[in-house]
PDB file of all heavy atoms in Angstrom:
ATOM      1  N   ARG A 170      -8.013 -80.907 -18.602  1.00 76.00           N
ATOM      2  CA  ARG A 170      -6.796 -80.121 -18.541  1.00 76.00           C
ATOM      3  C   ARG A 170      -5.615 -81.014 -18.879  1.00 76.00           C
ATOM      4  O   ARG A 170      -4.669 -80.609 -19.591  1.00 76.00           O
ATOM      5  CB  ARG A 170      -6.662 -79.548 -17.146  1.00 76.00           C
ATOM      6  CG  ARG A 170      -5.561 -78.532 -17.021  1.00 76.00           C
ATOM      7  CD  ARG A 170      -4.270 -79.123 -16.432  1.00 76.00           C
ATOM      8  NE  ARG A 170      -3.199 -78.161 -16.332  1.00 76.00           N
ATOM      9  CZ  ARG A 170      -1.920 -78.488 -16.178  1.00 76.00           C
ATOM     10  NH1 ARG A 170      -1.566 -79.768 -16.143  1.00 76.00           N
ATOM     11  NH2 ARG A 170      -1.003 -77.524 -16.092  1.00 76.00           N
ATOM     12  N   ARG A 171      -5.636 -82.252 -18.423  1.00 80.00           N
ATOM     13  CA  ARG A 171      -4.510 -83.167 -18.722  1.00 80.00           C
ATOM     14  C   ARG A 171      -4.459 -83.448 -20.212  1.00 80.00           C
ATOM     15  O   ARG A 171      -3.360 -83.461 -20.818  1.00 80.00           O
ATOM     16  CB  ARG A 171      -4.701 -84.482 -17.977  1.00 80.00           C
ATOM     17  CG  ARG A 171      -3.528 -85.448 -18.062  1.00 80.00           C
ATOM     18  CD  ARG A 171      -3.797 -86.754 -17.363  1.00 80.00           C
ATOM     19  NE  ARG A 171      -4.858 -87.482 -18.036  1.00 80.00           N
ATOM     20  CZ  ARG A 171      -4.651 -88.335 -19.083  1.00 80.00           C
ATOM     21  NH1 ARG A 171      -3.418 -88.432 -19.592  1.00 80.00           N
ATOM     22  NH2 ARG A 171      -5.655 -88.925 -19.642  1.00 80.00           N
ATOM     23  N   ARG A 172      -5.580 -83.645 -20.871  1.00 71.00           N
ATOM     24  CA  ARG A 172      -5.629 -83.871 -22.304  1.00 71.00           C
ATOM     25  C   ARG A 172      -5.175 -82.657 -23.083  1.00 71.00           C
ATOM     26  O   ARG A 172      -4.453 -82.760 -24.110  1.00 71.00           O
ATOM     27  CB  ARG A 172      -7.045 -84.277 -22.744  1.00 71.00           C
ATOM     28  CG  ARG A 172      -7.502 -85.602 -22.153  1.00 71.00           C
ATOM     29  CD  ARG A 172      -6.781 -86.746 -22.774  1.00 71.00           C
ATOM     30  NE  ARG A 172      -7.273 -88.058 -22.284  1.00 71.00           N
ATOM     31  CZ  ARG A 172      -6.798 -89.201 -22.694  1.00 71.00           C
ATOM     32  NH1 ARG A 172      -5.840 -89.253 -23.635  1.00 71.00           N
ATOM     33  NH2 ARG A 172      -7.275 -90.324 -22.217  1.00 71.00           N
ATOM     34  N   ILE A 173      -5.643 -81.455 -22.628  1.00 72.00           N
ATOM     35  CA  ILE A 173      -5.221 -80.237 -23.321  1.00 72.00           C
ATOM     36  C   ILE A 173      -3.719 -80.058 -23.244  1.00 72.00           C
ATOM     37  O   ILE A 173      -3.058 -79.622 -24.192  1.00 72.00           O
ATOM     38  CB  ILE A 173      -5.977 -79.026 -22.763  1.00 72.00           C
ATOM     39  CG1 ILE A 173      -7.480 -79.158 -23.097  1.00 72.00           C
ATOM     40  CG2 ILE A 173      -5.400 -77.736 -23.256  1.00 72.00           C
ATOM     41  CD1 ILE A 173      -8.323 -78.023 -22.519  1.00 72.00           C
ATOM     42  N   LYS A 174      -3.151 -80.373 -22.074  1.00 80.00           N
ATOM     43  CA  LYS A 174      -1.700 -80.259 -21.917  1.00 80.00           C
ATOM     44  C   LYS A 174      -0.945 -81.167 -22.898  1.00 80.00           C
ATOM     45  O   LYS A 174       0.062 -80.711 -23.498  1.00 80.00           O
ATOM     46  CB  LYS A 174      -1.357 -80.596 -20.479  1.00 80.00           C
ATOM     47  CG  LYS A 174       0.166 -80.426 -20.194  1.00 80.00           C
ATOM     48  CD  LYS A 174       0.466 -80.773 -18.746  1.00 80.00           C
ATOM     49  CE  LYS A 174       1.972 -80.637 -18.484  1.00 80.00           C
ATOM     50  NZ  LYS A 174       2.360 -80.994 -17.095  1.00 80.00           N
ATOM     51  N   LEU A 175      -1.452 -82.355 -23.046  1.00 81.00           N
ATOM     52  CA  LEU A 175      -0.805 -83.262 -24.023  1.00 81.00           C
ATOM     53  C   LEU A 175      -0.902 -82.705 -25.429  1.00 81.00           C
ATOM     54  O   LEU A 175       0.075 -82.766 -26.206  1.00 81.00           O
ATOM     55  CB  LEU A 175      -1.453 -84.671 -23.958  1.00 81.00           C
ATOM     56  CG  LEU A 175      -1.207 -85.456 -22.661  1.00 81.00           C
ATOM     57  CD1 LEU A 175      -1.988 -86.750 -22.666  1.00 81.00           C
ATOM     58  CD2 LEU A 175       0.254 -85.691 -22.412  1.00 81.00           C
ATOM     59  N   ASN A 176      -2.078 -82.136 -25.782  1.00 71.00           N
ATOM     60  CA  ASN A 176      -2.260 -81.593 -27.117  1.00 71.00           C
ATOM     61  C   ASN A 176      -1.347 -80.357 -27.345  1.00 71.00           C
ATOM     62  O   ASN A 176      -0.814 -80.165 -28.423  1.00 71.00           O
ATOM     63  CB  ASN A 176      -3.709 -81.196 -27.342  1.00 71.00           C
ATOM     64  CG  ASN A 176      -4.611 -82.422 -27.442  1.00 71.00           C
ATOM     65  OD1 ASN A 176      -4.166 -83.523 -27.790  1.00 71.00           O
ATOM     66  ND2 ASN A 176      -5.869 -82.223 -27.095  1.00 71.00           N
ATOM     67  N   VAL A 177      -1.180 -79.545 -26.262  1.00 77.00           N
ATOM     68  CA  VAL A 177      -0.287 -78.394 -26.369  1.00 77.00           C
ATOM     69  C   VAL A 177       1.158 -78.863 -26.545  1.00 77.00           C
ATOM     70  O   VAL A 177       1.925 -78.305 -27.363  1.00 77.00           O
ATOM     71  CB  VAL A 177      -0.437 -77.504 -25.143  1.00 77.00           C
ATOM     72  CG1 VAL A 177       0.653 -76.439 -25.139  1.00 77.00           C
ATOM     73  CG2 VAL A 177      -1.807 -76.828 -25.123  1.00 77.00           C
TER      74      VAL A 177
END
Side-chain angles (χ1 to χ4, degrees):
R170 190 262 179 197
R171 187 183 68 83
R172 294 290 184 178
I173 292 177
K174 181 180 179 181
L175 293 176
N176 292 333
V177 170

